């Protein structure tokens, strides 16, 4: 597999089943900060993690459950960068699909979720772990999932595209896109321009952009206008006549 992903053998850890790719890679790198390991992949997670402590259902269905390590030199809106990189990777390989994004970390097609992202920062803020779960194939309905979901294969079938999905190609394209964006951002002279470009790409795909949404602040449900994502990655909202930033 490492050759297909353009990585060295000691840069990949692959498991049939594991608690969580984020947990494994985080614990490994904390104990071995000089390790060459960059990518953890598994067929099944028993403790798949989402944002804010939510569980990510991770059955053995040929889907993508992965965590990729990058080095960082400053604070970046990594969920936004990663989501745009994923959307562009899927659409390059499957141009019939239109990928939507929903703040803070959801990947969607036709208003249904196909994936999510979990970012963790370790080792004195110089290492970032980008956890990605992506539904390539259908998930059985007996899982307790509280929102509409779909998968790439079903969406292609709905468009009468009889295509076998190549999982390694999607992973390789995602990694390539993430690396390209991070490398461009690390060129200090272009950092602001590149980040603003990524923010514009996110907003053009944003599921809620320029719509009224209901948010919860201090246990109160409030209606707000979604004004898009800021360069720091925060959500910009208009509540009555006041502009608020939500992290």
């Amino acid at each position: 597999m490492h050759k297909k992903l353009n990585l060295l053998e000691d840069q990949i850890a692959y498991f049939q089943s594991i608690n969580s790719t984020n947990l494994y890679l985080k614990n490994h790198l904390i104990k071995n900060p000089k390790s060459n390991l960059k990518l953890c992949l598994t067929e099944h997670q028993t403790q798949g993690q989402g944002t804010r402590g939510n569980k990510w259902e991770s059955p053995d269905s040929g889907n993508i459950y992965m965590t990729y390590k990058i080095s960082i030199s400053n604070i970046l809106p990594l969920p936004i960068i990663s989501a745009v990189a994923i959307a562009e990777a899927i659409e390059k390989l499957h141009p019939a699909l239109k990928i939507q994004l929903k703040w803070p970390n959801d990947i969607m097609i036709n208003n249904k979720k196909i994936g999510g992202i979990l970012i963790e920062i370790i080792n004195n803020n110089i290492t970032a772990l980008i956890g990605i779960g992506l539904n390539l194939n259908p998930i059985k309905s007996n899982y307790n999932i509280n929102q509409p979901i779909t998968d790439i294969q079903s969406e292609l079938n709905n468009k009468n595209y009889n295509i076998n999905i190549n999982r390694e190609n999607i992973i390789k394209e995602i990694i390539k896109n993430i690396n390209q964006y991070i490398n461009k951002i690390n060129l200090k002279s272009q950092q602001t321009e590149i980040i603003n470009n990524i923010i514009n790409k996110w907003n053009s795909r944003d599921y809620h952009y320029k719509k009224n949404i209901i948010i919860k602040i201090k246990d109160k449900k409030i209606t707000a206008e979604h004004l898009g994502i800021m360069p720091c990655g925060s959500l910009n909202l208009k509540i009555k006549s006041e502009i608020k930033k939500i992290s």
Side-chain angles (χ1 to χ4, degrees):
M1 179 180 287
H2 64 280
K3 292 181 180 178
K4 293 180 181 179
L5 298 177
N6 295 333
L7 292 169
L8 299 175
E9 191 169 0
D10 66 349
Q11 291 179 313
I12 298 180
Y14 170 78
F15 299 93
Q16 189 63 40
S17 181
I18 198 175
N19 53 4
S20 155
T21 57
N22 265 48
L23 278 175
Y24 176 84
L25 198 52
K26 177 169 64 176
N27 290 336
H28 175 84
L29 293 172
I30 288 173
K31 293 175 182 175
N32 307 279
K34 295 183 179 181
S35 170
N36 289 330
L37 193 60
K38 292 179 69 71
L39 178 66
C40 182
L41 295 165
T42 189
E43 300 293 338
H44 171 248
Q45 294 183 120
T46 58
Q47 299 174 39
Q49 298 174 299
T51 54
R52 299 186 173 99
N54 294 323
K55 183 178 181 181
W56 180 263
E57 298 292 355
S58 312
D60 187 350
S61 302
N63 295 324
I64 292 175
Y65 312 120
M66 62 176 271
T67 299
Y68 183 60
K69 182 200 86 169
I70 62 169
S71 298
I72 55 174
S73 57
N74 57 332
I75 297 173
L76 298 172
L78 288 174
I80 308 303
I81 296 167
S82 303
V84 170
I86 293 166
E88 292 179 340
I90 296 170
E91 288 184 358
K92 178 180 177 180
L93 296 171
H94 301 289
L97 301 179
K98 173 61 179 173
I99 306 301
Q100 302 164 299
L101 303 174
K102 188 174 81 170
W103 191 86
N105 72 335
D106 286 358
I107 316 295
M108 306 181 73
I109 302 177
N110 290 331
N111 305 333
K112 294 174 282 189
K113 185 169 179 175
I114 63 163
I117 301 162
L118 177 65
I119 305 294
E120 295 189 80
I121 309 297
I122 61 170
N123 291 347
N124 296 317
N125 296 326
I126 62 169
T127 300
L129 304 180
I130 303 172
I132 299 169
L134 199 58
N135 296 337
L136 306 187
N137 299 295
I139 291 178
K140 294 177 182 178
S141 60
N142 58 346
Y143 283 92
N144 183 24
I145 300 172
N146 62 359
Q147 62 182 303
I149 64 168
T150 188
D151 58 273
I152 291 175
Q153 188 66 69
S154 295
E155 294 299 322
L156 288 171
N157 291 345
N158 289 341
K159 293 179 178 291
N160 296 318
Y161 283 87
N162 186 18
I163 299 172
N164 290 324
I165 298 170
N166 188 308
R167 182 170 58 172
E168 285 78 15
N169 283 351
I170 294 178
I171 294 170
K172 183 166 66 174
E173 195 68 26
I174 289 171
I175 290 173
K176 185 190 81 174
N177 287 354
I178 290 172
N179 287 339
Q180 286 180 344
Y181 278 129
I182 296 302
N183 289 339
K184 288 179 181 178
I185 289 169
N186 284 338
L187 298 172
K188 301 295 183 182
S189 61
Q190 299 182 28
Q191 187 173 97
T192 300
E193 178 185 350
I194 297 299
I195 290 178
N196 286 338
N197 182 43
I198 293 169
I199 296 299
N200 290 336
K201 287 182 175 184
W202 170 288
N203 286 333
S204 72
R205 298 176 180 276
D206 197 307
Y207 176 69
H208 285 138
Y209 188 51
K210 297 297 185 180
K211 297 178 183 177
N212 286 335
I213 61 173
I214 296 175
I215 62 168
K216 200 171 184 181
I217 300 178
K218 295 180 179 178
D219 294 328
K220 287 181 65 176
K221 290 184 178 180
I222 298 171
T223 299
E225 183 184 355
H226 186 307
L227 300 179
I229 304 301
M230 301 178 69
C232 62
S234 297
L235 179 61
N236 207 20
L237 298 176
K238 184 177 182 181
I239 301 174
K240 295 182 179 178
S241 59
E242 187 178 358
I243 305 299
K244 282 187 173 287
K245 182 175 75 171
I246 306 294
S247 299

